[in-house]
Amino acid sequence: MKRKAESAMKTAASRAGGAVRPRARRARLIVRRLPEETLVYDLDTSRAHCLGPVAAAVWRHCDGRSSAERIATVVRKETGAEVGEAAVMVAVDRLSEAKLLSAPLPPAGRSRREWLKQAAMITGLTVVSITAPLSVEAATCVANCATRPNTPAGNCGAIPCCPPATGRCCRQGSGQNCGCRTSGSCTA
Amino acid sequence: MSEQAGGAVVAAILSGSWREPVDGWAGTGNDLDKVAHLLLHGGVAGLAWRRAGESADRPGVAAAELHQAYRLQVLRAALHEQAVARSFALMRSHGIEPILGKGWAAARLYPDPGLRPYGDVDLYVGLQAHAAARAAVATPNADCPIDLHAGFAELDDRTSDELHANAVDAEAGGTRVRMFGAEDHLRLLCLHALKHGLLRPIWLCDIAAAVEGRPAGFDWDRFLWGDGTRTRWAVAAIGLAHRLLDARLDGTPLAERARRLPRWLAPAVVAEWSSPRPAQGGRAPMAAAIRRPRTLLRAIGTRWPNAIEATVGVGGSFGAWPRLPYQVAESARRSARFVVSIRRDGDHF
């Protein structure tokens, strides 16, 4: 099953990524490499991203000259992970979405969507946005408590709700948004 | 979990969290979930994640949140370092040599700059240079988040010359910056934390990290020198760092003095950490609440001084006496100041 999926991904990747020569964006980014991940802050969009080790390695080797196949070879050597051309294309696609490439990739065709779906389980390929938990921002009051998703935990903040609402913005039951609790503390 | 217990768990998680290497925390993921908002609010998410994020019995939402906050702090540390460099360049372009305190200077006490959150760049200039410094900050497109202090705040029992003579150099973003000497900075961290009632656990962690990470040749006499009441407060702050966070006082002349704390002091801090409220500067202005009775009552409630800030506010000592009179006196002092400001500034709200 796994081999079949890998083979399908390879075929699709060759079709979609053969001609792609991605170039990483370097300007106006702040990059910090940690032992298990790479953090990137985009000064243009004020967005922060966390790159898994494979995605980070792919990004480092996007020099505008190397093909996906070439990048896969280098990344495989560097990380020891079983990275193929398809995995590189998934990473490149995610990097493009995060605006970490100097030029965006052309819109995804049906085949690319397919291998993106199939590659979802590959570890280390993640490129995720980092958002601040509300309480880290030390807001004085929460204007839109009821529209904030319940998770992650600090998202509700236990911070007073802005008038006209009253109480503190607290976690509710799973699947619900945060809510203004008027009596007791958020931990009660 | 009771209100007090939350603060106690926060203290337990933070105990020794600044050390290299750090001991894992023996608590449970449930405990971590319950205090995650306190840790995030208290500016100690990075430290908590370092000590407890991977050692709790199960990975949970709280640990992920703390990790996320740590990641942001790593990036903000890099941004803040650039802001520090820009701030010094701006001041020097106006012929002013400020001294940096708290924030970035405190973060240098930790093994990783991402372990501490950042706010403004706290720059201290002597009173003579303040007008010029204020003009520099107001320069169009200055793009520097400077918190400019006129004079040396809690260190104004020392002269500008003394503070400059003891200041030390560091490098931020390729620029040489001037920071308070270790003795003056520890005293500043202690007095600033107490002035604000130790609302944020990160302030006590800063003190603990500064005591344990003091440079060789740290001059304790210099730390203790100055106004006697302030010195006793500063020693009490170090005592709190020892009592609540297990800061090691071996090799200091304070070990015995710092252990003699009034009974109410540590519980007052734990209670504060159990029920976070916005620090001064993070609250909605009192003036905005004055015409709405319900909002006004709540605003007064969030401003009711805790026992520590009340004692410091009225210049009292950390004795065994009940603190209520200090709190009432401090509240009255603040109210009077507010009324004076209204009369001075007119009815602009």
Side-chain angles (χ1 to χ4, degrees):
Chain A
M1 183 74 178
K2 195 179 166 190
R3 193 177 294 167
K4 202 173 168 185
E6 183 65 24
S7 162
M9 281 164 58
K10 265 186 182 171
T11 312
S14 299
R15 275 206 306 268
V20 174
R21 300 276 194 278
R23 182 191 294 275
R25 184 182 143 208
R26 304 283 180 222
R28 295 195 47 78
L29 296 176
I30 287 186
V31 183
R32 284 291 177 272
R33 277 179 78 170
L34 302 181
E36 291 169 1
E37 58 200 18
T38 296
L39 306 177
V40 184
Y41 185 82
D42 187 334
L43 291 165
D44 287 337
T45 62
S46 300
R47 284 177 64 193
H49 307 281
C50 176
L51 278 52
V54 174
V58 168
W59 189 53
R60 278 197 300 279
H61 293 290
C62 285
D63 55 11
R65 296 186 304 273
S66 304
S67 65
E69 191 181 355
R70 167 77 189 140
I71 293 171
T73 308
V74 181
V75 170
R76 214 163 32 235
K77 270 188 201 159
E78 196 177 298
T79 63
E82 282 302 312
V83 178
E85 199 181 337
V88 169
M89 287 308 298
V90 171
V92 165
D93 198 76
R94 290 174 179 169
L95 291 165
S96 178
E97 269 183 27
K99 299 185 170 37
L100 296 179
L101 298 181
S102 57
L105 289 183
R110 190 177 167 189
S111 57
R112 181 182 285 158
R113 276 204 300 275
E114 190 57 34
W115 54 252
L116 275 172
K117 208 163 92 182
Q118 292 177 41
M121 297 303 287
I122 296 176
T123 57
L125 278 174
T126 49
V127 178
V128 292
S129 289
I130 310 173
T131 50
L134 181 65
S135 38
V136 169
E137 300 297 332
T140 306
C141 63
V142 187
N144 51 354
C145 172
T147 63
R148 297 188 70 85
N150 206 13
T151 55
N155 221 18
C156 305
I159 290 168
C161 296
C162 296
T166 55
R168 286 181 182 275
C169 187
C170 299
R171 295 176 72 185
Q172 309 293 310
S174 61
Q176 298 175 36
N177 281 353
C178 307
C180 292
R181 190 176 300 171
T182 48
S183 60
S185 69
C186 282
T187 50
Chain B
M1 186 181 285
S2 73
E3 287 293 328
Q4 280 276 337
V9 174
V10 168
I13 290 172
L14 296 177
S15 179
S17 58
W18 59 89
R19 289 186 193 130
E20 184 77 300
V22 67
D23 292 337
W25 178 59
T28 68
N30 268 346
D31 283 343
L32 198 58
D33 283 346
K34 285 174 184 163
V35 298
H37 68 290
L38 302 176
L39 296 164
L40 289 159
H41 190 85
V44 288
L47 285 166
W49 178 75
R50 181 170 190 255
R51 178 141 196 263
E54 289 173 347
S55 61
D57 57 347
R58 59 172 176 78
V61 175
E65 272 294 285
L66 299 175
H67 195 177
Q68 197 80 314
Y70 165 73
R71 287 172 174 138
L72 280 171
Q73 284 175 194
V74 168
L75 291 169
R76 282 179 181 166
L79 288 166
H80 192 81
E81 188 168 307
Q82 293 180 357
V84 169
R86 282 200 310 275
S87 302
F88 267 82
L90 175 72
M91 287 292 161
R92 285 178 182 145
S93 70
H94 286 72
I96 300 156
E97 186 67 14
I99 304 183
L100 180 71
K102 303 186 289 183
W104 188 81
R108 290 170 55 83
L109 302 165
Y110 296 96
D112 166 356
L115 293 174
R116 195 192 189 284
Y118 296 85
D120 294 336
V121 178
D122 285 279
L123 294 185
Y124 297 77
V125 295
L127 289 172
Q128 309 90 323
H130 183 248
R134 208 168 50 187
V137 172
T139 307
N141 306 318
D143 190 25
C144 296
I146 295 173
D147 185 358
L148 184 65
H149 297 259
F152 296 93
E154 292 86 356
L155 295 178
D156 63 7
D157 54 354
R158 289 138 201 256
T159 67
S160 173
D161 288 345
E162 285 167 348
L163 292 166
H164 274 283
N166 195 44
V168 292
D169 285 343
E171 195 192 299
T175 299
R176 180 184 62 82
V177 301
R178 200 92 177 122
M179 305 188 307
F180 285 114
E183 298 85 358
D184 297 329
H185 198 221
L186 175 57
R187 189 174 169 100
L188 174 67
L189 293 174
C190 291
L191 296 176
H192 170 263
L194 294 173
K195 180 183 165 189
H196 293 290
L198 268 164
L199 292 186
R200 306 191 80 201
I202 189 64
W203 294 335
L204 201 59
C205 294
D206 288 347
I207 294 167
V211 170
E212 290 193 8
R214 66 191 183 277
F218 184 92
D219 184 351
W220 283 103
D221 287 338
R222 182 177 175 86
F223 168 77
L224 295 168
W225 182 84
D227 178 87
T229 304
R230 290 187 197 182
T231 298
R232 286 188 288 279
W233 290 340
V235 171
I238 291 175
L240 281 170
H242 170 70
R243 176 82 58 88
L244 293 174
L245 303 180
D246 190 32
R248 293 172 183 152
L249 304 183
D250 327 336
T252 76
L254 306 182
E256 195 48 46
R257 282 173 71 182
R259 285 188 183 101
R260 288 199 302 264
L261 297 176
R263 274 191 199 166
W264 58 267
L265 190 52
V269 177
V270 171
E272 198 59 66
W273 292 358
S274 300
S275 176
R277 53 193 176 120
Q280 201 175 359
R283 303 166 184 152
M286 190 71 179
I290 202 161
R291 288 196 176 134
R292 282 176 292 190
R294 272 180 68 182
T295 318
L296 180 63
L297 280 177
R298 200 164 57 211
I300 291 170
T302 59
R303 283 166 174 77
W304 178 249
N306 73 23
I308 299 165
E309 60 186 326
T311 305
V312 171
V314 299
S317 64
F318 287 152
W321 293 95
R323 295 292 111 180
L324 185 60
Y326 290 94
Q327 290 171 286
V328 171
E330 171 64 0
S331 201
R333 190 181 71 89
R334 289 180 184 181
S335 301
R337 207 170 52 188
F338 176 62
V339 170
V340 168
S341 75
I342 288 177
R343 290 198 168 170
R344 187 188 58 219
D345 301 337
D347 189 7
H348 291 308
F349 43 88

PDB file of all heavy atoms in Angstrom, chain B residues 211-231:
ATOM      1  N   VAL B 211      21.135  36.373  40.354  1.00  0.00           N
ATOM      2  CA  VAL B 211      21.907  35.996  41.557  1.00  0.00           C
ATOM      3  C   VAL B 211      22.820  34.816  41.230  1.00  0.00           C
ATOM      4  O   VAL B 211      24.018  34.840  41.518  1.00  0.00           O
ATOM      5  CB  VAL B 211      20.957  35.645  42.728  1.00  0.00           C
ATOM      6  CG1 VAL B 211      21.731  35.013  43.882  1.00  0.00           C
ATOM      7  CG2 VAL B 211      20.233  36.887  43.212  1.00  0.00           C
ATOM      8  N   GLU B 212      22.248  33.796  40.610  1.00  0.00           N
ATOM      9  CA  GLU B 212      23.052  32.594  40.334  1.00  0.00           C
ATOM     10  C   GLU B 212      24.065  32.824  39.220  1.00  0.00           C
ATOM     11  O   GLU B 212      25.118  32.202  39.200  1.00  0.00           O
ATOM     12  CB  GLU B 212      22.136  31.418  39.976  1.00  0.00           C
ATOM     13  CG  GLU B 212      21.348  30.923  41.166  1.00  0.00           C
ATOM     14  CD  GLU B 212      20.682  29.571  40.911  1.00  0.00           C
ATOM     15  OE1 GLU B 212      20.948  28.941  39.866  1.00  0.00           O
ATOM     16  OE2 GLU B 212      19.881  29.169  41.776  1.00  0.00           O
ATOM     17  N   GLY B 213      23.747  33.721  38.300  1.00  0.00           N
ATOM     18  CA  GLY B 213      24.646  33.942  37.154  1.00  0.00           C
ATOM     19  C   GLY B 213      25.528  35.166  37.333  1.00  0.00           C
ATOM     20  O   GLY B 213      26.094  35.663  36.360  1.00  0.00           O
ATOM     21  N   ARG B 214      25.646  35.657  38.576  1.00  0.00           N
ATOM     22  CA  ARG B 214      26.450  36.872  38.792  1.00  0.00           C
ATOM     23  C   ARG B 214      27.897  36.617  38.387  1.00  0.00           C
ATOM     24  O   ARG B 214      28.421  35.516  38.562  1.00  0.00           O
ATOM     25  CB  ARG B 214      26.350  37.314  40.258  1.00  0.00           C
ATOM     26  CG  ARG B 214      26.965  36.353  41.243  1.00  0.00           C
ATOM     27  CD  ARG B 214      26.599  36.710  42.683  1.00  0.00           C
ATOM     28  NE  ARG B 214      27.242  35.826  43.642  1.00  0.00           N
ATOM     29  CZ  ARG B 214      26.800  34.635  43.989  1.00  0.00           C
ATOM     30  NH1 ARG B 214      25.707  34.129  43.419  1.00  0.00           N
ATOM     31  NH2 ARG B 214      27.452  33.915  44.877  1.00  0.00           N
ATOM     32  N   PRO B 215      28.531  37.649  37.847  1.00  0.00           N
ATOM     33  CA  PRO B 215      29.918  37.455  37.401  1.00  0.00           C
ATOM     34  C   PRO B 215      30.866  37.282  38.582  1.00  0.00           C
ATOM     35  O   PRO B 215      30.545  37.695  39.706  1.00  0.00           O
ATOM     36  CB  PRO B 215      30.216  38.756  36.646  1.00  0.00           C
ATOM     37  CG  PRO B 215      29.254  39.749  37.189  1.00  0.00           C
ATOM     38  CD  PRO B 215      28.027  39.003  37.594  1.00  0.00           C
ATOM     39  N   ALA B 216      32.015  36.700  38.315  1.00  0.00           N
ATOM     40  CA  ALA B 216      33.039  36.586  39.357  1.00  0.00           C
ATOM     41  C   ALA B 216      33.402  38.004  39.790  1.00  0.00           C
ATOM     42  O   ALA B 216      33.440  38.915  38.972  1.00  0.00           O
ATOM     43  CB  ALA B 216      34.246  35.859  38.789  1.00  0.00           C
ATOM     44  N   GLY B 217      33.605  38.186  41.061  1.00  0.00           N
ATOM     45  CA  GLY B 217      33.971  39.512  41.558  1.00  0.00           C
ATOM     46  C   GLY B 217      32.771  40.413  41.787  1.00  0.00           C
ATOM     47  O   GLY B 217      32.926  41.620  41.968  1.00  0.00           O
ATOM     48  N   PHE B 218      31.576  39.849  41.742  1.00  0.00           N
ATOM     49  CA  PHE B 218      30.359  40.629  42.019  1.00  0.00           C
ATOM     50  C   PHE B 218      30.525  41.305  43.388  1.00  0.00           C
ATOM     51  O   PHE B 218      30.856  40.658  44.376  1.00  0.00           O
ATOM     52  CB  PHE B 218      29.151  39.690  42.029  1.00  0.00           C
ATOM     53  CG  PHE B 218      27.827  40.368  42.200  1.00  0.00           C
ATOM     54  CD1 PHE B 218      27.078  40.759  41.100  1.00  0.00           C
ATOM     55  CD2 PHE B 218      27.304  40.612  43.469  1.00  0.00           C
ATOM     56  CE1 PHE B 218      25.843  41.373  41.255  1.00  0.00           C
ATOM     57  CE2 PHE B 218      26.072  41.225  43.637  1.00  0.00           C
ATOM     58  CZ  PHE B 218      25.337  41.607  42.522  1.00  0.00           C
ATOM     59  N   ASP B 219      30.302  42.597  43.418  1.00  0.00           N
ATOM     60  CA  ASP B 219      30.548  43.386  44.631  1.00  0.00           C
ATOM     61  C   ASP B 219      29.245  43.530  45.428  1.00  0.00           C
ATOM     62  O   ASP B 219      28.422  44.400  45.124  1.00  0.00           O
ATOM     63  CB  ASP B 219      31.095  44.757  44.216  1.00  0.00           C
ATOM     64  CG  ASP B 219      31.463  45.613  45.417  1.00  0.00           C
ATOM     65  OD1 ASP B 219      31.145  45.212  46.550  1.00  0.00           O
ATOM     66  OD2 ASP B 219      32.059  46.687  45.196  1.00  0.00           O
ATOM     67  N   TRP B 220      29.072  42.685  46.424  1.00  0.00           N
ATOM     68  CA  TRP B 220      27.831  42.720  47.199  1.00  0.00           C
ATOM     69  C   TRP B 220      27.684  44.019  47.976  1.00  0.00           C
ATOM     70  O   TRP B 220      26.581  44.488  48.225  1.00  0.00           O
ATOM     71  CB  TRP B 220      27.747  41.511  48.140  1.00  0.00           C
ATOM     72  CG  TRP B 220      27.363  40.265  47.393  1.00  0.00           C
ATOM     73  CD1 TRP B 220      28.182  39.249  47.014  1.00  0.00           C
ATOM     74  CD2 TRP B 220      26.067  39.928  46.892  1.00  0.00           C
ATOM     75  NE1 TRP B 220      27.487  38.297  46.311  1.00  0.00           N
ATOM     76  CE2 TRP B 220      26.174  38.682  46.227  1.00  0.00           C
ATOM     77  CE3 TRP B 220      24.823  40.546  46.929  1.00  0.00           C
ATOM     78  CZ2 TRP B 220      25.091  38.053  45.615  1.00  0.00           C
ATOM     79  CZ3 TRP B 220      23.729  39.915  46.320  1.00  0.00           C
ATOM     80  CH2 TRP B 220      23.881  38.684  45.673  1.00  0.00           C
ATOM     81  N   ASP B 221      28.822  44.602  48.362  1.00  0.00           N
ATOM     82  CA  ASP B 221      28.738  45.878  49.085  1.00  0.00           C
ATOM     83  C   ASP B 221      28.113  46.947  48.179  1.00  0.00           C
ATOM     84  O   ASP B 221      27.343  47.779  48.637  1.00  0.00           O
ATOM     85  CB  ASP B 221      30.130  46.334  49.533  1.00  0.00           C
ATOM     86  CG  ASP B 221      30.624  45.480  50.691  1.00  0.00           C
ATOM     87  OD1 ASP B 221      29.765  44.878  51.373  1.00  0.00           O
ATOM     88  OD2 ASP B 221      31.849  45.380  50.891  1.00  0.00           O
ATOM     89  N   ARG B 222      28.466  46.890  46.912  1.00  0.00           N
ATOM     90  CA  ARG B 222      27.893  47.858  45.983  1.00  0.00           C
ATOM     91  C   ARG B 222      26.383  47.599  45.811  1.00  0.00           C
ATOM     92  O   ARG B 222      25.583  48.533  45.745  1.00  0.00           O
ATOM     93  CB  ARG B 222      28.589  47.784  44.620  1.00  0.00           C
ATOM     94  CG  ARG B 222      28.041  48.802  43.667  1.00  0.00           C
ATOM     95  CD  ARG B 222      28.707  48.853  42.320  1.00  0.00           C
ATOM     96  NE  ARG B 222      27.979  49.808  41.508  1.00  0.00           N
ATOM     97  CZ  ARG B 222      28.194  51.116  41.483  1.00  0.00           C
ATOM     98  NH1 ARG B 222      29.160  51.634  42.204  1.00  0.00           N
ATOM     99  NH2 ARG B 222      27.444  51.919  40.747  1.00  0.00           N
ATOM    100  N   PHE B 223      26.000  46.342  45.733  1.00  0.00           N
ATOM    101  CA  PHE B 223      24.584  46.008  45.617  1.00  0.00           C
ATOM    102  C   PHE B 223      23.808  46.548  46.830  1.00  0.00           C
ATOM    103  O   PHE B 223      22.710  47.085  46.691  1.00  0.00           O
ATOM    104  CB  PHE B 223      24.409  44.487  45.517  1.00  0.00           C
ATOM    105  CG  PHE B 223      22.984  44.023  45.692  1.00  0.00           C
ATOM    106  CD1 PHE B 223      22.071  44.151  44.666  1.00  0.00           C
ATOM    107  CD2 PHE B 223      22.559  43.487  46.901  1.00  0.00           C
ATOM    108  CE1 PHE B 223      20.749  43.737  44.834  1.00  0.00           C
ATOM    109  CE2 PHE B 223      21.246  43.074  47.078  1.00  0.00           C
ATOM    110  CZ  PHE B 223      20.330  43.208  46.040  1.00  0.00           C
ATOM    111  N   LEU B 224      24.404  46.407  48.018  1.00  0.00           N
ATOM    112  CA  LEU B 224      23.701  46.773  49.253  1.00  0.00           C
ATOM    113  C   LEU B 224      23.767  48.268  49.546  1.00  0.00           C
ATOM    114  O   LEU B 224      22.990  48.782  50.351  1.00  0.00           O
ATOM    115  CB  LEU B 224      24.299  46.001  50.439  1.00  0.00           C
ATOM    116  CG  LEU B 224      24.116  44.480  50.392  1.00  0.00           C
ATOM    117  CD1 LEU B 224      24.988  43.802  51.444  1.00  0.00           C
ATOM    118  CD2 LEU B 224      22.653  44.107  50.592  1.00  0.00           C
ATOM    119  N   TRP B 225      24.664  48.958  48.885  1.00  0.00           N
ATOM    120  CA  TRP B 225      24.873  50.372  49.194  1.00  0.00           C
ATOM    121  C   TRP B 225      23.679  51.205  48.713  1.00  0.00           C
ATOM    122  O   TRP B 225      23.091  50.908  47.685  1.00  0.00           O
ATOM    123  CB  TRP B 225      26.164  50.836  48.503  1.00  0.00           C
ATOM    124  CG  TRP B 225      26.479  52.260  48.799  1.00  0.00           C
ATOM    125  CD1 TRP B 225      27.138  52.748  49.884  1.00  0.00           C
ATOM    126  CD2 TRP B 225      26.102  53.391  48.016  1.00  0.00           C
ATOM    127  NE1 TRP B 225      27.212  54.103  49.824  1.00  0.00           N
ATOM    128  CE2 TRP B 225      26.577  54.536  48.687  1.00  0.00           C
ATOM    129  CE3 TRP B 225      25.404  53.560  46.825  1.00  0.00           C
ATOM    130  CZ2 TRP B 225      26.381  55.826  48.204  1.00  0.00           C
ATOM    131  CZ3 TRP B 225      25.206  54.846  46.342  1.00  0.00           C
ATOM    132  CH2 TRP B 225      25.698  55.962  47.028  1.00  0.00           C
ATOM    133  N   GLY B 226      23.356  52.269  49.470  1.00  0.00           N
ATOM    134  CA  GLY B 226      22.288  53.173  49.054  1.00  0.00           C
ATOM    135  C   GLY B 226      21.215  53.280  50.122  1.00  0.00           C
ATOM    136  O   GLY B 226      21.444  52.916  51.297  1.00  0.00           O
ATOM    137  N   ASP B 227      20.072  53.757  49.739  1.00  0.00           N
ATOM    138  CA  ASP B 227      18.965  53.951  50.670  1.00  0.00           C
ATOM    139  C   ASP B 227      18.668  52.655  51.429  1.00  0.00           C
ATOM    140  O   ASP B 227      18.473  51.592  50.818  1.00  0.00           O
ATOM    141  CB  ASP B 227      17.736  54.387  49.866  1.00  0.00           C
ATOM    142  CG  ASP B 227      16.515  54.566  50.727  1.00  0.00           C
ATOM    143  OD1 ASP B 227      16.348  55.666  51.262  1.00  0.00           O
ATOM    144  OD2 ASP B 227      15.750  53.585  50.876  1.00  0.00           O
ATOM    145  N   GLY B 228      18.638  52.761  52.775  1.00  0.00           N
ATOM    146  CA  GLY B 228      18.520  51.565  53.610  1.00  0.00           C
ATOM    147  C   GLY B 228      17.220  50.803  53.388  1.00  0.00           C
ATOM    148  O   GLY B 228      17.210  49.562  53.339  1.00  0.00           O
ATOM    149  N   THR B 229      16.122  51.530  53.245  1.00  0.00           N
ATOM    150  CA  THR B 229      14.828  50.853  53.056  1.00  0.00           C
ATOM    151  C   THR B 229      14.840  50.076  51.745  1.00  0.00           C
ATOM    152  O   THR B 229      14.424  48.913  51.682  1.00  0.00           O
ATOM    153  CB  THR B 229      13.674  51.884  53.046  1.00  0.00           C
ATOM    154  OG1 THR B 229      13.733  52.625  54.245  1.00  0.00           O
ATOM    155  CG2 THR B 229      12.333  51.206  52.928  1.00  0.00           C
ATOM    156  N   ARG B 230      15.332  50.719  50.704  1.00  0.00           N
ATOM    157  CA  ARG B 230      15.382  50.030  49.405  1.00  0.00           C
ATOM    158  C   ARG B 230      16.292  48.793  49.483  1.00  0.00           C
ATOM    159  O   ARG B 230      15.999  47.770  48.873  1.00  0.00           O
ATOM    160  CB  ARG B 230      15.909  50.974  48.320  1.00  0.00           C
ATOM    161  CG  ARG B 230      14.932  52.073  47.985  1.00  0.00           C
ATOM    162  CD  ARG B 230      15.437  52.849  46.789  1.00  0.00           C
ATOM    163  NE  ARG B 230      14.751  54.132  46.698  1.00  0.00           N
ATOM    164  CZ  ARG B 230      14.958  55.018  45.733  1.00  0.00           C
ATOM    165  NH1 ARG B 230      15.830  54.767  44.779  1.00  0.00           N
ATOM    166  NH2 ARG B 230      14.315  56.157  45.718  1.00  0.00           N
ATOM    167  N   THR B 231      17.385  48.937  50.217  1.00  0.00           N
ATOM    168  CA  THR B 231      18.293  47.793  50.336  1.00  0.00           C
ATOM    169  C   THR B 231      17.568  46.616  51.006  1.00  0.00           C
ATOM    170  O   THR B 231      17.677  45.478  50.563  1.00  0.00           O
ATOM    171  CB  THR B 231      19.542  48.189  51.139  1.00  0.00           C
ATOM    172  OG1 THR B 231      20.222  49.218  50.414  1.00  0.00           O
ATOM    173  CG2 THR B 231      20.471  47.006  51.340  1.00  0.00           C
TER     174      THR B 231
END
